[in-house]
Amino acid sequence: DALHAGADRVNALGLIPTPETVELGEGRLTLPRRVTVSGAPSAVDAVESALGTGTGIRLGEGDGALLTLVDDADIAAGGYRLKVDGSGIRVSATDRDGFLAAAHTLRQLFPEWASGPWPLPGAELSLPHVTISDAPRFAWRGLMLDVARHFEPLPALYRFLDQMAALKLNVLHLHLTDDQGWRFDVKGYPGLVRVGSWRTDTHVWTQKENDGTPHGGFYTQDQLRALVDYAQHRGITIVPEVDLPGHVRALLAAYPHFGDPAAERKPVATTFGVFDEVLHLDTDTVAMVEEIFTQLLDVFPSKRIHIGGDECPKTQWQASAAAAELATELGLARVEDLQNWFTDHMRDWLTERGRQAVAWDEVIDDHESPGTVIMSWRGHGPGVEALRRGQEAVMAPWHYTYLDQYQSEDQREPFAIGAFTSWQKVLGYDPALDVPADAPGTLLGVQGQLWSEYMPTAQAKEYMAFPRAAAIAEIGWAKQPAAEDDFFARLVVQGGRWDAAGINHRSVGGAKPWQMGGTGRLHRPEDHGGSPD
Ligand code: NAG
């Protein structure tokens, strides 16, 4: 019973992801708004940025530091030790990520309002006496945001990064291009955004017709550089994706000559699904692709760069004399191998520039592409296979990590893509399941996917992201699986933090009436359970 009461007290702190060990004392430490600090400037900078504006805390030099930041080479990469007692706060870590993580834990130990954008005047700021020791399980704890199907305005992206950092999520995979929109401005190819970033309207599945409303938007390279900077400062790597050689209707709407020479020109797609139109991979097209990636590398310093590779139908190539000729020239046995050739070409091209290709798992169907990081989405199996072959893998199986699926079976949920993935289901997923101990590859981590076909606004994306992103963070960070009721208790507290920050999360107590589909086009149809595609 005493054990249980202890666990309840720790759960009530609402720490997410769950730290390795937490020893909770009895007293509390009350802090002034100006906290004296000692430590290396980089550590101080990390802690200050992560504490956020909501606490109202400013760090400064002075006698008798209340906050002591210590460099300790014995602590694991990204990990930290944290002690709060009557005399102050002591944080040890060995790198910037560790100090950032410690500060985010500290922030969660403050009252919920401290997670908001501004301090509560006059309110007391205090912390429980506690000793925490912590380190991440995986290096890649990601979320993918699809800004192609529905454009995400920049301020919403910044808010998103803040929320990721608070949960110790450290990779934002930005899906920048797709059939329905091209969001990355490329010099020398102005049509990509002038034509490719807009569509005339959007298909509304529930009404079986288009909505008559144009949709679009794109980012300039400087806007993205600023975003990358902001993310980097918070320990988050932005991995950009330009999805090729399929999912290219937006590109081909602007530059049809990079597609099948015999195909007719089509507009940016206004419906969703998989389209036959793919790149015709001749020298001109490959030169264009390389130019796009040259500029992409210039904006995104991330070592890992996503080249797409999913859902590339081979029908156009199979019917094309030009594609057959190309395949012969390249010495390929089958015209279908053009995609494999392209994957390896881009992998080598990136390697020569000190980067590394990431691709969706289709690229290892009947093919080896050593050195390419495999993002396992069609299930858990392709990732395990990649690890057996000695490749690196990120687990992103749709059953467990696709956050575009319904999060409850309530018929009033806002319309979603089909299947059902609750936070409990995410929490129950082990990214390392069935990975043989002697598999030569490296399991980098796990990632949640926010495909945005049916998330027209930033609010809608937040609703689908939270709380499930917290479960992604948990399985990516914690070495021990969390019990559902413990995590539930923590999520209740976390919900208060999201409220303070104005995040449109789905409360664990159930969606608010105004978050339900309500009337009209976002209402989930009675009979809807299967995939709309
Ligand atoms: C897949 C597609 C994606 C789509 C999503 C919807 C991948 C890698 N590809 O069909 O374009 O938005 O599922 O859940 O997921």
Side-chain angles (χ1 to χ4, degrees), residues 501-520:
I503 295 296
N504 185 40
H505 66 110
R506 185 185 195 282
S507 152
V508 280
K512 304 284 195 303
W514 58 88
Q515 292 176 314
M516 299 291 197
T519 56

Side-chain angles (χ1 to χ4, degrees), residues 146 149 178 247 310-311 360 377 402 404 417 451 453:
D146 168 12
R149 269 57 176 274
D178 215 303
H247 282 284
D310 62 320
E311 299 176 327
W360 298 108
W377 77 276
Y402 269 37
D404 56 339
I417 197 137
W451 296 107
E453 287 98 323

